[in-house]
Amino acid sequence: MTGQTIAPLQGVRVLELGNYIAAPTAGRMLADFGAEVIKVERPGTGDELRNWRLYKGDTSMLYRTINRNKKSIVLDLRTGAGRQAVLDLIKHCDILLENFRPGTLEKWGLAPEVLNEANPELIITRISAFGQTGPMSNRPGFAAVAEAYGGFRNLVGDPDRPPVRVGVSIGDSIAGLYAGFGSVMSLYQREVRRREAGVASPLQERIIDVALNEAMFSMMESLVPDYEAYGVHRERVGGRMQGIAPSNAYFCQDGSSIVIAGNGDSIFQRYMELIGRPDLGSDPGLQSNAGRWERREELDAAIGEWTLQRPSSEALEALDAAGVPAGPIYTAADISADEQYEARGMVQKFDVSTGEEVLTDVGFPGVVPVIGERSLPIRNLGPDLGENTTEILGGLLQMSVEEIDAASNRQEAVRL
């Protein structure tokens, strides 16, 4: 079996009304594994992500990455013609993805009940800051706010400084993962019900409600149970992990840093032997994580003294030989040149037009998880704005040129 033939979601059609990162991440996951994902964008500007980190041309590499393997059509959802096109499209779709502020679809006349009338088997996956219900449901909020509400931001950074943000939109991405999982889960349930009972799942079971803050909260391990049971207040600990030691990043002689995770009980013995501190390895008070955490400053000082005496390559080679988990802290350049990523097809090369020039052999992240030993091939990068409008509206819906113009060109349509 080749990568070209592995498409578990082939035959599934998705209508993506999402903008930015969360819903488009879910759409990307479904598209990666064979679903036909039709991305609806507004006339003129399209998804705002096209302009995020835009260095040249009119479409960012960020957009090309998150919207790969999709098709783009232009519809004005504030017009009757645009709304009708959506209702006509979902008759041919299995899943609808959206990440508007709660109430937006309802305002446009596209509430779940209306969508359900058009397609009684449609799975409706909704992503918002705080969910579709509850006292905060109508509040706007990007991932930065949700990360704070979810407890995540309070644990990121050093204890003597304000909380910081990680360098990617982690809240949006995790919510997108949950949305993708929820969509496939509901798709499976729909097929089981159809096979066993010959009936569709009720509407309430086909609405997947993903809240950004809850997605982040779900990643916080035992944060709340530890507080509720023991009154423990987790705090920021920099490069460490609360209650686990020694595990940190350390400077090397050549000025680079490496991460060493030598916190396993048996690993710790070998680790201390390697750095020339067998006294620490045999110390009765350091035989468990609890004891090592209490003396984390002492341990980090001993480890840091060892790493500073050798370049990172030498330190990593010695740690590997001793069976102590460790690794370099990669940059984009390191990932691009790494043989492990290459062996699994995790950096895939494309020529990309900026509208002004063609950039050759630009690497893009591969498809996760791997099926068939290597990443599945990316079929296409995020499309140009409206690239597939005529194909979808004229082909799938058999709309005329005039009807397509009315649905997709804001200036020619009558707004609601």
Side-chain angles (χ1 to χ4, degrees):
M1 180 178 290
T2 67
Q4 295 286 355
T5 63
I6 300 175
L9 296 179
Q10 187 172 10
V12 174
R13 182 177 286 127
V14 180
L15 191 66
E16 179 188 300
L17 303 183
N19 209 18
Y20 302 111
I21 294 177
T25 293
R28 186 210 73 199
M29 292 178 61
L30 301 174
D32 281 348
F33 292 98
E36 179 187 12
V37 178
I38 302 169
K39 181 178 180 65
V40 175
E41 301 189 66
R42 67 172 72 98
T45 58
D47 188 331
E48 288 187 36
L49 207 65
R50 290 182 178 274
N51 294 307
W52 285 20
R53 299 185 203 131
L54 180 63
Y55 301 108
K56 282 188 176 181
D58 56 10
T59 302
S60 68
M61 295 298 176
L62 180 59
Y63 176 91
R64 299 287 191 196
T65 300
I66 292 179
N67 292 286
R68 68 190 185 199
N69 294 330
K70 302 178 186 177
K71 298 177 179 180
S72 169
I73 67 172
V74 170
L75 289 176
D76 189 346
L77 300 185
R78 296 184 297 178
T79 69
R83 181 188 66 173
Q84 187 59 49
V86 167
L87 291 173
D88 290 340
L89 281 169
I90 65 167
K91 295 175 184 177
H92 302 274
C93 292
D94 301 284
I95 300 167
L96 180 137
L97 298 173
E98 66 101 352
N99 62 343
F100 298 113
R101 185 173 174 177
T104 301
L105 284 188
E106 287 79 357
K107 179 181 68 177
W108 288 337
L110 297 171
E113 294 74 18
V114 176
L115 298 172
N116 190 58
E117 288 181 9
N119 182 349
E121 293 192 328
L122 183 71
I123 294 161
I124 304 169
T125 300
R126 316 189 73 175
I127 307 176
S128 60
F130 300 103
Q132 302 296 317
T133 60
M136 295 181 66
S137 60
N138 287 323
R139 292 185 61 174
F142 279 176
V145 176
E147 290 166 18
Y149 269 99
F152 176 77
R153 190 67 73 89
N154 187 53
L155 298 186
V156 183
D158 294 307
D160 59 343
R161 298 184 181 184
V164 299
R165 188 176 190 180
V166 298
V168 294
S169 298
I170 193 71
D172 282 318
S173 297
I174 291 176
L177 293 173
Y178 274 119
F181 170 70
S183 297
V184 172
M185 177 177 62
S186 187
L187 188 68
Y188 174 77
Q189 181 189 45
R190 189 189 74 175
E191 296 307 306
V192 169
R193 283 181 176 270
R194 181 187 291 169
R195 182 173 63 247
E196 294 182 351
V199 297
S201 302
L203 175 60
Q204 62 268 27
E205 293 184 15
R206 287 182 281 111
I207 298 176
I208 308 301
D209 182 357
V210 179
L212 295 178
N213 69 307
E214 293 167 357
M216 292 308 303
F217 173 53
S218 74
M219 296 287 111
M220 298 311 297
E221 301 172 349
S222 60
L223 177 73
V224 167
D226 287 342
Y227 166 72
E228 296 277 353
Y230 310 115
V232 172
H233 291 270
R234 290 275 301 274
E235 298 179 350
R236 292 183 297 286
V237 290
R240 300 179 175 122
M241 176 65 73
Q242 181 82 30
I244 297 172
S247 179
N248 211 336
Y250 304 91
F251 281 117
C252 294
Q253 189 183 67
D254 54 9
S256 63
S257 298
I258 61 175
V259 167
I260 312 174
N263 49 281
D265 290 348
S266 62
I267 294 172
F268 179 68
Q269 312 295 325
R270 301 193 301 272
Y271 191 5
M272 294 300 101
E273 289 284 346
L274 174 65
I275 69 169
R277 295 298 305 270
D279 57 309
L280 294 175
S282 60
D283 190 316
L286 297 175
Q287 301 310 302
S288 68
N289 258 304
R292 293 193 293 270
W293 178 252
E294 290 297 320
R295 294 168 60 182
R296 57 191 179 276
E297 298 292 348
E298 177 186 357
L299 291 173
D300 277 348
I303 297 163
E305 181 180 351
W306 180 81
T307 58
L308 277 172
Q309 295 174 7
R310 44 193 49 79
S312 59
S313 58
E314 180 183 322
L316 289 170
E317 184 177 352
L319 289 160
D320 184 55
V324 179
I329 299 176
Y330 267 8
T331 65
D334 297 321
I335 293 172
S336 295
D338 185 80
E339 62 181 14
Q340 176 67 18
Y341 283 105
E342 167 62 26
R344 288 170 61 83
M346 278 297 158
V347 178
Q348 300 184 24
K349 303 287 189 177
F350 289 85
D351 294 346
V352 186
S353 173
T354 67
E356 302 169 358
E357 61 180 318
V358 175
L359 306 176
T360 59
D361 289 330
V362 178
F364 287 82
V367 176
V368 178
V370 164
I371 303 178
E373 299 183 351
R374 284 177 60 86
S375 166
L376 299 180
I378 298 170
R379 299 188 300 280
N380 59 272
L381 300 178
D384 292 335
L385 178 60
E387 182 177 325
N388 309 101
T389 301
T390 300
E391 171 197 343
I392 299 298
L393 300 185
L396 184 62
L397 298 187
Q398 297 291 299
M399 291 172 62
S400 67
V401 172
E402 292 75 19
E403 290 171 326
I404 293 173
D405 285 343
S408 62
N409 294 331
R410 183 179 302 169
Q411 67 273 17
E412 296 185 14
V414 178
R415 295 182 186 178
L416 289 175

mmCIF file of all heavy atoms in Angstrom, residues 7 28 46 49-50 55 95 97 100 117 137 153 184 355 394 413:
data_model
loop_
_atom_site.group_PDB
_atom_site.id
_atom_site.type_symbol
_atom_site.label_atom_id
_atom_site.label_comp_id
_atom_site.label_asym_id
_atom_site.label_seq_id
_atom_site.Cartn_x
_atom_site.Cartn_y
_atom_site.Cartn_z
ATOM 1 N N ALA A 7 -6.369 6.865 2.488
ATOM 2 C CA ALA A 7 -7.268 8.014 2.675
ATOM 3 C C ALA A 7 -8.485 7.551 3.465
ATOM 4 O O ALA A 7 -9.561 7.337 2.906
ATOM 5 C CB ALA A 7 -7.683 8.605 1.333
ATOM 6 N N ARG A 28 -8.055 20.970 8.490
ATOM 7 C CA ARG A 28 -6.789 20.443 7.964
ATOM 8 C C ARG A 28 -6.612 18.977 8.322
ATOM 9 O O ARG A 28 -6.191 18.163 7.499
ATOM 10 C CB ARG A 28 -5.614 21.245 8.532
ATOM 11 C CG ARG A 28 -4.261 20.869 7.934
ATOM 12 C CD ARG A 28 -3.152 21.093 8.932
ATOM 13 N NE ARG A 28 -3.173 20.101 9.982
ATOM 14 C CZ ARG A 28 -2.580 20.234 11.159
ATOM 15 N NH1 ARG A 28 -1.961 21.351 11.463
ATOM 16 N NH2 ARG A 28 -2.634 19.263 12.045
ATOM 17 N N GLY A 46 -10.840 37.309 2.269
ATOM 18 C CA GLY A 46 -10.740 35.909 2.654
ATOM 19 C C GLY A 46 -10.462 35.756 4.139
ATOM 20 O O GLY A 46 -10.693 36.668 4.946
ATOM 21 N N LEU A 49 -6.195 34.959 8.196
ATOM 22 C CA LEU A 49 -4.912 34.286 8.343
ATOM 23 C C LEU A 49 -4.021 34.478 7.117
ATOM 24 O O LEU A 49 -2.804 34.332 7.207
ATOM 25 C CB LEU A 49 -5.139 32.789 8.583
ATOM 26 C CG LEU A 49 -4.055 32.059 9.371
ATOM 27 C CD1 LEU A 49 -3.975 32.588 10.787
ATOM 28 C CD2 LEU A 49 -4.310 30.561 9.363
ATOM 29 N N ARG A 50 -4.621 34.807 5.998
ATOM 30 C CA ARG A 50 -3.823 35.062 4.794
ATOM 31 C C ARG A 50 -2.826 36.201 5.017
ATOM 32 O O ARG A 50 -1.783 36.243 4.351
ATOM 33 C CB ARG A 50 -4.749 35.409 3.613
ATOM 34 C CG ARG A 50 -5.566 34.231 3.098
ATOM 35 C CD ARG A 50 -6.420 34.618 1.903
ATOM 36 N NE ARG A 50 -7.166 33.467 1.393
ATOM 37 C CZ ARG A 50 -6.693 32.591 0.521
ATOM 38 N NH1 ARG A 50 -5.475 32.734 0.046
ATOM 39 N NH2 ARG A 50 -7.439 31.573 0.122
ATOM 40 N N TYR A 55 5.098 37.995 4.675
ATOM 41 C CA TYR A 55 6.373 38.619 4.337
ATOM 42 C C TYR A 55 6.448 39.050 2.875
ATOM 43 O O TYR A 55 7.164 39.991 2.535
ATOM 44 C CB TYR A 55 7.525 37.653 4.654
ATOM 45 C CG TYR A 55 7.557 37.253 6.116
ATOM 46 C CD1 TYR A 55 7.189 35.971 6.515
ATOM 47 C CD2 TYR A 55 7.923 38.164 7.103
ATOM 48 C CE1 TYR A 55 7.211 35.601 7.857
ATOM 49 C CE2 TYR A 55 7.941 37.806 8.449
ATOM 50 C CZ TYR A 55 7.588 36.523 8.810
ATOM 51 O OH TYR A 55 7.584 36.167 10.146
ATOM 52 N N ILE A 95 -20.098 17.101 7.372
ATOM 53 C CA ILE A 95 -19.667 17.862 8.548
ATOM 54 C C ILE A 95 -19.624 19.344 8.201
ATOM 55 O O ILE A 95 -19.192 19.714 7.105
ATOM 56 C CB ILE A 95 -18.266 17.406 9.010
ATOM 57 C CG1 ILE A 95 -18.259 15.919 9.391
ATOM 58 C CG2 ILE A 95 -17.765 18.254 10.184
ATOM 59 C CD1 ILE A 95 -16.865 15.336 9.553
ATOM 60 N N LEU A 97 -17.952 22.829 9.886
ATOM 61 C CA LEU A 97 -17.063 23.380 10.898
ATOM 62 C C LEU A 97 -17.245 24.892 10.965
ATOM 63 O O LEU A 97 -17.306 25.552 9.927
ATOM 64 C CB LEU A 97 -15.595 23.095 10.551
ATOM 65 C CG LEU A 97 -15.137 21.644 10.457
ATOM 66 C CD1 LEU A 97 -13.709 21.594 9.932
ATOM 67 C CD2 LEU A 97 -15.232 20.959 11.813
ATOM 68 N N PHE A 100 -17.179 30.886 14.714
ATOM 69 C CA PHE A 100 -17.649 32.243 14.933
ATOM 70 C C PHE A 100 -18.076 32.428 16.392
ATOM 71 O O PHE A 100 -18.273 31.464 17.130
ATOM 72 C CB PHE A 100 -18.843 32.559 14.027
ATOM 73 C CG PHE A 100 -18.520 32.498 12.556
ATOM 74 C CD1 PHE A 100 -19.080 31.522 11.751
ATOM 75 C CD2 PHE A 100 -17.650 33.426 11.984
ATOM 76 C CE1 PHE A 100 -18.788 31.465 10.393
ATOM 77 C CE2 PHE A 100 -17.356 33.373 10.630
ATOM 78 C CZ PHE A 100 -17.924 32.389 9.833
ATOM 79 N N GLU A 117 -32.667 20.978 9.089
ATOM 80 C CA GLU A 117 -33.764 20.812 8.132
ATOM 81 C C GLU A 117 -33.227 20.542 6.736
ATOM 82 O O GLU A 117 -33.802 19.753 5.983
ATOM 83 C CB GLU A 117 -34.642 22.069 8.117
ATOM 84 C CG GLU A 117 -35.494 22.244 9.357
ATOM 85 C CD GLU A 117 -36.354 23.494 9.268
ATOM 86 O OE1 GLU A 117 -36.406 24.103 8.171
ATOM 87 O OE2 GLU A 117 -36.968 23.867 10.294
ATOM 88 N N SER A 137 -20.825 32.422 27.499
ATOM 89 C CA SER A 137 -20.844 31.919 26.131
ATOM 90 C C SER A 137 -20.809 33.007 25.071
ATOM 91 O O SER A 137 -20.251 32.812 23.991
ATOM 92 C CB SER A 137 -22.067 31.020 25.918
ATOM 93 O OG SER A 137 -23.264 31.745 26.138
ATOM 94 N N ARG A 153 -1.753 29.581 31.170
ATOM 95 C CA ARG A 153 -0.822 30.709 31.136
ATOM 96 C C ARG A 153 -0.151 30.929 32.502
ATOM 97 O O ARG A 153 0.995 31.356 32.572
ATOM 98 C CB ARG A 153 -1.557 31.966 30.691
ATOM 99 C CG ARG A 153 -0.669 33.147 30.385
ATOM 100 C CD ARG A 153 0.187 32.894 29.150
ATOM 101 N NE ARG A 153 -0.585 32.940 27.928
ATOM 102 C CZ ARG A 153 -0.811 34.047 27.222
ATOM 103 N NH1 ARG A 153 -0.338 35.191 27.639
ATOM 104 N NH2 ARG A 153 -1.503 33.981 26.094
ATOM 105 N N VAL A 184 -15.031 13.268 13.890
ATOM 106 C CA VAL A 184 -14.894 11.878 13.453
ATOM 107 C C VAL A 184 -15.648 10.946 14.393
ATOM 108 O O VAL A 184 -16.265 9.965 13.963
ATOM 109 C CB VAL A 184 -13.404 11.487 13.365
ATOM 110 C CG1 VAL A 184 -13.249 10.003 13.101
ATOM 111 C CG2 VAL A 184 -12.713 12.285 12.261
ATOM 112 N N GLY A 355 2.949 35.535 -5.809
ATOM 113 C CA GLY A 355 2.281 36.491 -6.675
ATOM 114 C C GLY A 355 3.275 37.392 -7.361
ATOM 115 O O GLY A 355 2.957 38.025 -8.377
ATOM 116 N N GLY A 394 -20.467 25.829 -9.463
ATOM 117 C CA GLY A 394 -20.949 25.505 -10.803
ATOM 118 C C GLY A 394 -21.072 24.014 -11.035
ATOM 119 O O GLY A 394 -21.960 23.564 -11.767
ATOM 120 N N ALA A 413 -24.489 41.685 -4.650
ATOM 121 C CA ALA A 413 -25.563 40.972 -3.975
ATOM 122 C C ALA A 413 -26.357 41.907 -3.057
ATOM 123 O O ALA A 413 -25.880 42.950 -2.649
ATOM 124 C CB ALA A 413 -24.982 39.830 -3.147
#
